[in-house]
Amino acid sequence: MSIVRFEILSKVIELGSFTKAAEKLSMTQSAVSHAISSLETEWGVTLLIRDRRKGIALTEIGQKTLPHIREVLKRIETINQEIALATNLETGIIRIGTFASASSCLLAKLLAKFQKKHPKIEFKFYEGTYEEITEWLQSGIIDIGFVVKGKTNPSFDLVPLWKDKMVVAFHPEHKFLHKETIDMHDLEKEPFIMPTGMYQSHIEELFKEAQIKPSIRFEVHDCTTIANMVQEGLGVTIGPELFLKTQQNIKIGKLNLTSYRDVALACSAISEASPAVKEFLVVAKNVFIEPNNTIDSQILFN
């Protein structure tokens, strides 16, 4: 049984294409197809459904075996990293799931610090929603992911990073500009741009606590589009300070009701993570967690 065939199958499923997998692995498409066919022949089962119109899909047995295949590949990666550490050589890859504001405001700072100490470690990034990142962690597609407490699997090990305050965003010439604190009731008659998706639940909880209903003019999914609409004076919005403070030509103000989303790094099990992943979490702890924050640092080193 060849580990290489496991890598090929995992890559085909990840990219959803024999052609893309072949390009990524620097192989011919026929070699990729042959590798999977030979694995199916060896096991006596069909792992993939090949449909020209619908594309590639896993069979029932394929769905059952893929998580185990990914776990084997992760174990091999861990072995290689342990050997590299023992011989004073650094190697390995860290697969990280992230969402937009975490990528721009937290990940860059963390990577800069980590790469100074470990320049040979490679990274692969997957950007998605809270739900997608949780699914990727559970299925083994990623090693660690940026998550929000309460919006992910409670069984994951977490390293808390940032308490991201929810704030109001408005046009620079809006009347809110001169308010030190904006009351939730001041938003009741304002044309409101409601984000749909990741942090919508945080906003809905604020309006529920204030016992008012927003005057929703637009419902928009993309964060950057929302910021652009605020820039054009089409309405006001509520969102995470981490993202909104980076946007040009808009102003932000604090609310009379305090709400945070707690951003953390999640791992399915830190104790079973590769040396590179453990070290990444240690660096994250040192970069973001204040000395008076309590965290069981012992778990990061065992």
Side-chain angles (χ1 to χ4, degrees):
M1 190 181 301
S2 170
I3 297 298
V4 172
R5 290 187 291 178
F6 282 8
E7 293 174 343
I8 292 170
L9 176 62
S10 180
K11 188 62 66 176
V12 168
I13 295 303
E14 177 189 330
L15 299 178
S17 163
F18 281 83
T19 302
K20 291 179 181 177
E23 292 174 357
K24 195 72 175 178
L25 296 168
S26 299
M27 300 172 66
T28 63
Q29 184 174 335
S30 61
V32 168
S33 181
H34 176 74
I36 293 176
S37 295
S38 66
L39 187 59
E40 290 176 320
T41 300
E42 180 179 333
W43 284 351
V45 297
T46 301
L47 298 170
L48 295 179
I49 300 170
R50 302 158 176 84
D51 190 299
R52 289 186 178 181
R53 289 180 297 176
K54 296 181 180 179
I56 296 169
L58 285 166
T59 61
E60 184 178 353
I61 186 62
Q63 292 173 0
K64 290 179 179 179
T65 57
L66 183 62
H68 300 295
I69 288 172
R70 285 179 171 152
E71 183 61 29
V72 169
L73 293 174
K74 285 179 68 175
R75 294 293 183 184
I76 294 295
E77 174 67 22
T78 299
I79 290 170
N80 289 334
Q81 290 183 23
E82 293 287 4
I83 293 170
L85 284 174
T87 55
N88 295 318
L89 295 172
E90 278 199 339
T91 186
I93 183 168
I94 301 175
R95 301 164 185 85
I96 301 177
T98 182
F99 49 86
S101 57
S103 297
S104 59
C105 303
L106 298 179
L107 183 58
K109 183 177 182 180
L110 182 50
L111 286 174
K113 188 78 171 180
F114 185 85
Q115 292 256 286
K116 285 182 181 179
K117 294 179 65 178
H118 309 285
K120 294 183 180 179
I121 299 296
E122 298 177 35
F123 289 89
K124 186 167 185 178
F125 305 107
Y126 299 76
E127 191 165 295
T129 63
Y130 299 158
E131 293 79 13
E132 286 173 328
I133 292 169
T134 295
E135 184 180 328
W136 294 335
L137 278 168
Q138 290 172 332
S139 62
I141 292 175
I142 59 176
D143 303 303
I144 47 180
F146 285 89
V147 299
V148 171
K149 285 185 179 180
K151 305 292 183 182
T152 190
N153 191 321
S155 69
F156 291 158
D157 288 335
L158 300 181
V159 175
L161 301 179
W162 199 265
K163 290 184 74 68
D164 193 11
K165 185 184 292 185
M166 302 302 286
V167 297
V168 182
F170 47 87
H171 189 273
E173 297 179 2
H174 196 278
K175 62 183 180 182
F176 287 167
L177 183 63
H178 303 294
K179 280 182 171 285
E180 184 177 340
T181 301
I182 299 164
D183 193 289
M184 286 295 298
H185 288 85
D186 293 336
L187 300 175
E188 191 169 11
K189 295 183 180 180
E190 289 288 330
F192 194 79
I193 304 169
M194 175 63 80
T196 61
M198 292 211 298
Y199 50 85
Q200 182 177 359
S201 61
H202 299 283
I203 299 169
E204 290 173 340
E205 287 167 9
L206 279 168
F207 281 112
K208 184 177 180 180
E209 184 178 350
Q211 297 183 334
I212 60 174
K213 291 185 178 180
S215 177
I216 299 174
R217 177 173 289 182
F218 304 103
E219 292 184 289
V220 185
H221 186 78
D222 183 71
C223 298
T224 303
T225 301
I226 292 171
N228 290 337
M229 293 173 75
V230 173
Q231 288 175 21
E232 295 297 328
L234 294 173
V236 302
T237 194
I238 295 175
E241 183 179 26
L242 190 65
F243 168 72
L244 290 172
K245 70 180 181 181
T246 65
Q247 301 304 297
Q248 296 181 346
N249 302 320
I250 66 172
K251 296 293 183 180
I252 61 174
K254 64 180 181 179
L255 289 161
N256 66 316
L257 297 181
T258 303
S259 176
Y260 295 92
R261 62 173 187 172
D262 294 306
V263 182
L265 275 175
C267 181
S268 56
I270 295 176
S271 61
E272 298 179 5
S274 69
V277 168
K278 286 183 178 178
E279 177 61 14
F280 188 85
L281 294 173
V282 170
V283 172
K285 174 178 175 288
N286 292 335
V287 169
F288 291 108
I289 300 176
E290 297 177 355
N292 61 349
N293 257 353
T294 57
I295 179 174
D296 185 4
S297 60
Q298 192 67 28
I299 193 173
L300 295 175
F301 298 94
N302 291 338

